[in-house]
Amino acid sequence: MSFVTMEPHTRDLLNADELLAEPCLPASQGKRFLNLLIDFVFFYIIMVTVGVIMFLISPELLDSKVLTNRVTSMLLYVAYYLAFEAWLGKTPGKILTKTKVVDKNGQKPDLLTCLWRNLARLIPFDTFTFLREKPIGMHDRMSGTMVVDDRPSLSLDQSIRNTPY
């Protein structure tokens, strides 16, 4: 997987896109872990809310089989991440830690890439793939995505000042 990186000495000073490009570096393990914790809290708030609504509508809905509840929870888990990442390129956890999901070109991933990324989250032990030296999870590798720090783009003036001559 190759992500867009550009050495300052190879930049074309007449091409604004190249001039403003910054390397995509993975977010730290600490930020990835914090993303996970924050998103679990938000997800479980949503799950409890859905459960209360289901109970108010029909208490029998919550008396269904354990397998049905697990499948429903997994689908809601995928839907939570899919909705946020396809719409904003970031979940509430990523918003709070100032990180975002990007594709191989450093752009917000499309819907299909986000779907693949979030279905891959259901693979058992995916969460533990962040224990490696580089915090790029299995779902990142499988979908060709990466979580990076969400730095504001440099203005043209700032970029020119930061370019070595």
Side-chain angles (χ1 to χ4, degrees), residues 134-150:
K134 290 185 180 179
I136 299 175
M138 184 187 314
H139 64 275
D140 292 315
R141 285 180 172 80
M142 291 176 71
S143 62
T145 60
M146 185 167 61
V147 176
V148 298
D149 287 324
D150 188 11

Side-chain angles (χ1 to χ4, degrees), residues 46-131:
I46 292 169
M47 287 295 293
V48 168
T49 304
V50 168
V52 168
I53 292 170
M54 287 174 61
F55 179 77
L56 293 174
I57 292 172
S58 176
E60 299 85 38
L61 289 174
L62 296 179
D63 292 336
S64 63
K65 304 258 184 220
V66 172
L67 180 62
T68 305
N69 289 336
R70 295 237 173 160
V71 169
T72 302
S73 296
M74 288 170 41
L75 290 174
L76 286 173
Y77 183 72
V78 168
Y80 169 84
Y81 279 97
L82 179 62
F84 280 108
E85 290 180 353
W87 178 39
L88 300 173
K90 48 183 104 175
T91 60
K94 291 176 186 71
I95 291 169
L96 292 173
T97 61
K98 293 182 174 47
T99 57
K100 64 182 177 181
V101 177
V102 296
D103 63 13
K104 292 178 182 179
N105 299 315
Q107 303 298 313
K108 184 177 84 164
D110 60 28
L111 181 63
L112 189 59
T113 302
C114 287
L115 178 62
W116 180 243
R117 170 184 166 78
N118 291 300
L119 285 173
R121 287 179 188 275
L122 299 178
I123 296 171
F125 306 110
D126 171 66
T127 304
F128 297 110
T129 60
F130 296 98
L131 299 177

